[in-house]
Amino acid sequence: KKEELEEKKIDLEKTKDEKRTIEGYLERIKPGCDWIKENYATRETNRATEKTALDKAVTMLKGTAAFKRAAAKEDSLKTGYCKGKCAGDEAHADCKACLAEVSVEEYCK
């Protein structure tokens, strides 16, 4: 019984030490957590603004002559020279290399 009591006291001290360690950690990270909570709405608004700006930039870029030429070239390659390599899997390295007009080894560098 006495040994069991001693074990329980040791366990209690270990648990108290672990609790102090966890509480110290929580105190150290609290400022960052508080900042995230306090600035969440602003950050969410900023992300929405940034997404709108990026969508506008994509639309503007897709409207340029250079983009249209590149898209037409890619479409031409997909239906022409690269058709066999791109059929069914345009994400495959063989297709991407063909569209870039380089070898697979060069494409994967």
Side-chain angles (χ1 to χ4, degrees):
K1 196 104 172 146
K2 189 175 182 179
E3 288 176 11
E4 190 176 318
L5 181 60
E6 284 301 314
E7 286 179 22
K8 297 288 184 185
K9 286 181 180 179
I10 291 170
D11 284 346
L12 177 60
E13 286 306 312
K14 284 182 182 177
T15 302
K16 286 180 178 180
D17 286 343
E18 290 172 358
K19 181 180 181 236
R20 282 189 289 273
T21 300
I22 291 168
E23 287 172 339
Y25 171 73
L26 292 174
E27 278 301 311
R28 285 193 309 278
I29 67 168
K30 188 177 184 320
C33 295
D34 290 346
W35 183 89
I36 289 171
K37 283 184 351 187
E38 291 165 5
N39 292 286
Y40 183 82
T42 301
R43 293 173 66 227
E44 195 170 63
T45 300
N46 290 345
R47 277 192 300 277
T49 301
E50 183 178 9
K51 184 180 181 324
T52 300
L54 289 170
D55 289 343
K56 182 179 178 182
V58 167
T59 300
M60 291 172 67
L61 287 170
K62 286 183 176 181
T64 64
F67 180 87
K68 290 177 181 176
R69 280 192 307 275
K73 179 181 177 185
E74 185 174 341
D75 288 343
S76 172
L77 287 171
K78 283 181 190 176
T79 58
Y81 177 73
C82 297
K83 183 177 182 178
K85 295 181 182 190
C86 293
D89 191 5
E90 292 179 13
H92 194 276
D94 288 336
C95 177
K96 298 252 185 204
C98 185
L99 293 174
E101 298 178 318
V102 296
S103 70
V104 174
E105 292 78 17
E106 289 176 64
Y107 179 78
C108 291
K109 283 184 182 179

